[in-house]
Amino acid sequence: MDINSVRVAEIDGGAAKLEELGAWRASKAFSAMERVALEYAERMTYTGDKVDELLFGRLKQHFDERQIVELTAAIALENFRSKFNPALGIESQGFCLLPKR
């Protein structure tokens, strides 16, 4: 999330999206395509959540097969980093402000 948030902030409307990411379902800052990608990311990330055929069908409305594979790989990589880095004590590099826990 760290370096990627910098990249998002550089695009038009990106800063608003970063601010509203925690409430993406209710936010008007996200397109239908972005919302389905965010839901897909959540379902891939949270233990117990599943990607069902209904969600996959909605993904197909916005993304072709190659794009879905790329999106899946990107989400999986971020999930990998979220487990790998803390285990090795790798902290944020300070590219973005992370929410306090």
Side-chain angles (χ1 to χ4, degrees):
M1 166 106 177
D2 202 14
I3 191 66
N4 291 327
S5 66
V6 172
R7 292 180 181 148
V8 170
E10 291 173 347
I11 64 172
D12 188 36
K17 287 179 182 182
L18 287 173
E19 288 178 20
E20 297 191 33
L21 188 57
W24 65 266
R25 284 181 184 2
S27 172
K28 294 182 185 339
F30 298 94
S31 68
M33 181 178 74
E34 291 167 327
R35 287 176 198 281
V36 75
L38 287 166
E39 183 176 352
Y40 185 53
E42 280 190 355
R43 293 228 202 145
M44 281 183 62
T45 301
Y46 296 135
T47 302
D49 282 359
K50 301 281 186 222
V51 176
D52 57 22
E53 289 188 33
L54 182 63
L55 176 57
F56 206 76
R58 288 182 21 236
L59 276 170
K60 288 179 174 181
Q61 291 174 358
H62 298 280
F63 302 99
D64 63 29
E65 211 171 273
R66 289 179 136 187
Q67 291 171 319
I68 292 171
V69 169
E70 186 174 343
L71 179 61
T72 303
I75 295 165
L77 178 60
E78 291 305 320
N79 283 325
F80 168 80
R81 288 180 185 161
S82 77
K83 300 298 182 193
F84 185 88
N85 291 353
L88 296 176
I90 300 169
E91 297 182 4
S92 168
Q93 299 300 301
F95 293 111
C96 73
L97 295 175
L98 299 174
K100 299 218 187 277
R101 292 182 182 200

